[in-house]
Amino acid sequence: MTHTTSKNAWILLCLVLTLPQVSLAQQYLESGRANVAIVRNPFMASESILAEGLVDSITALGATIGLNQTFDLTEAETEYRGWAREALVSRHLADLISANGKNEYLTVALLGSCSDLPGILSGLQNMGPGQEEQVYHLAANIPHRVGLVYLDAHADVNTPETTLSGMYGGMDVALAAGLYNENNRLITGLDPPLPPSYIVLADVRDTDPREQELIDRYHFESISTEDIKTLSQNLRYQMERLSSLTDVIYIHIDMDVLAPEEVSGHGLTAPKGPTSYELADCLELMFQYPKATAIGIASTPYGPRDPDHLSRQAAVRLVQGAIRGVHKRN
């Protein structure tokens, strides 16, 4: 056997050993029931969404709650403010998700703001094998390739050089793509950054001028409001494209993506968004794709900013859509 033949045989063996991981990793079904892990940022709306009956609504659909977790900052970490604190919060979220085991739970992340995004991506990137996959193979320590569908009225592809507002939460996609702030990205554990081809900007309706230049320069793919409302072929194309490129797909939702009347307490609404019913139907379709691994809900108005509970009820409705999609997997 030549050296080249021997090497090719070894590569084939490694691929065979990884096949069970690829084929089983994203089913999240146990006896036909979705197995769910809830991961919470404790500092904003997560408790209010739970109080809106999220757990009961998930179990009413026939799913089971395997984990319901949150975290505390350490005493030393509480001294940090601003961008540094955001990175530390993200890292804690990453640690919770990466410990879940990627063949065990569909992740439902109840987030603060979109600045939590790098931590979710890091956790998915570094998830270990599930309990039934403890088989060594060459790729065991290679980070998972994570696809991102970013549902937000804003692209959040700003950098400090392009932003009009200066908001850190308007730069999280740029950070995840490695366009700025490597230090914070590495603190969250997201390494390597996501290639722009792994990212789909969905329902973006408001961008800064120089931010739009970055979007165009890096050729970010997109899904329109009409795609969401009509469940268009482009929506399916983008899910199929990400499924072919990546190992897992994260669906991130900033609640300002919705029609303003459902999120009137959000400070950054934009007109002409989908209703939560329309977006829930879209999520049901997205989560029929086996590589859809996690849904995150960020920036949900609560308390006095949501006196009629419309926003919190909408958040629950979106999670229900994802669960229904998982239950439709073969």
Side-chain angles (χ1 to χ4, degrees):
M1 181 181 291
T2 66
H3 173 73
T4 300
T5 304
S6 177
K7 181 179 179 181
N8 289 341
W10 171 245
I11 292 172
L12 179 61
L13 175 61
C14 292
L15 289 173
V16 170
L17 289 173
T18 63
L19 280 176
Q21 183 180 21
V22 173
S23 62
L24 296 175
Q26 292 86 25
Q27 291 306 313
Y28 308 113
L29 294 171
E30 183 176 334
S31 301
R33 298 160 63 94
N35 203 13
V36 176
I38 299 175
V39 174
R40 295 176 279 124
N41 178 331
F43 301 113
M44 294 183 72
S46 64
E47 294 297 330
S48 292
I49 296 173
L50 283 180
E52 206 61 40
L54 178 66
V55 170
D56 288 343
S57 74
I58 290 174
T59 56
L61 291 173
T64 57
I65 307 294
L67 295 172
N68 188 348
Q69 299 175 299
T70 190
F71 61 89
D72 293 311
L73 293 178
T74 68
E75 184 175 352
E77 288 170 341
T78 60
E79 299 297 319
Y80 287 90
R81 296 292 183 270
W83 292 12
R85 183 185 177 96
E86 297 286 3
L88 293 169
V89 168
S90 260
R91 182 53 188 250
H92 280 286
L93 288 167
D95 289 343
L96 290 179
I97 293 171
S98 65
N100 280 348
K102 74 171 202 164
N103 190 35
E104 297 174 56
Y105 303 108
L106 173 79
T107 296
V108 173
L110 305 181
L111 307 176
S113 69
C114 289
S115 58
D116 291 338
L117 173 72
I120 305 300
L121 297 173
S122 169
L124 297 174
Q125 189 181 70
N126 295 291
M127 281 190 301
Q131 292 178 356
E132 297 180 359
E133 302 175 27
Q134 303 293 341
V135 178
Y136 175 79
H137 54 80
L138 186 64
N141 296 313
I142 295 177
H144 303 302
R145 299 167 299 174
V146 183
L148 169 64
V149 178
Y150 195 76
L151 285 146
D152 194 319
H154 312 86
D156 294 347
V157 183
N158 266 311
T159 69
E161 292 77 25
T162 68
T163 179
L164 291 176
S165 68
M167 290 180 57
Y168 182 70
M171 307 182 199
D172 48 282
V173 174
L175 187 150
L179 303 185
Y180 93 107
N181 203 341
E182 180 181 45
N183 182 64
N184 269 28
R185 176 172 59 78
L186 293 177
I187 288 172
T188 69
L190 181 59
D191 187 30
L194 270 61
S197 62
Y198 289 11
I199 300 171
V200 177
L201 302 176
D203 201 22
V204 171
R205 311 189 295 279
D206 184 10
T207 59
D208 293 349
R210 294 188 64 200
E211 177 188 30
Q212 187 62 50
E213 292 176 8
L214 284 178
I215 294 169
D216 295 340
R217 185 188 312 163
Y218 288 98
H219 304 289
F220 287 96
E221 298 277 347
S222 65
I223 292 170
S224 70
T225 308
E226 190 65 16
D227 290 330
I228 291 169
K229 291 183 176 182
T230 63
L231 305 181
S232 74
Q233 185 57 42
N234 183 50
L235 176 65
R236 292 169 168 82
Y237 165 76
Q238 293 297 346
M239 290 301 296
E240 290 164 5
R241 188 183 65 82
L242 287 181
S243 295
S244 71
L245 291 174
T246 66
D247 302 308
V248 294
I249 300 171
Y250 169 51
I251 313 295
H252 179 90
I253 302 162
D254 184 321
M255 292 293 282
D256 71 12
V257 78
L258 294 177
E261 56 268 24
E262 292 195 76
V263 285
S264 59
H266 198 299
L268 297 169
T269 59
K272 300 182 180 179
T275 68
S276 60
Y277 293 95
E278 291 170 327
L279 185 52
D281 288 343
C282 175
L283 292 168
E284 183 174 338
L285 174 60
M286 287 180 171
F287 275 88
Q288 290 177 46
Y289 287 83
K291 289 189 177 180
T293 301
I295 179 173
I297 309 289
S299 301
T300 306
Y302 66 103
R305 294 190 296 119
D306 185 33
D308 297 323
H309 294 231
L310 294 180
S311 300
R312 283 166 282 185
Q313 290 168 8
V316 171
R317 194 170 295 123
L318 299 182
V319 175
Q320 289 175 314
I323 300 297
R324 288 197 302 270
V326 173
H327 281 158
K328 288 187 175 180
R329 295 180 185 179
N330 295 325

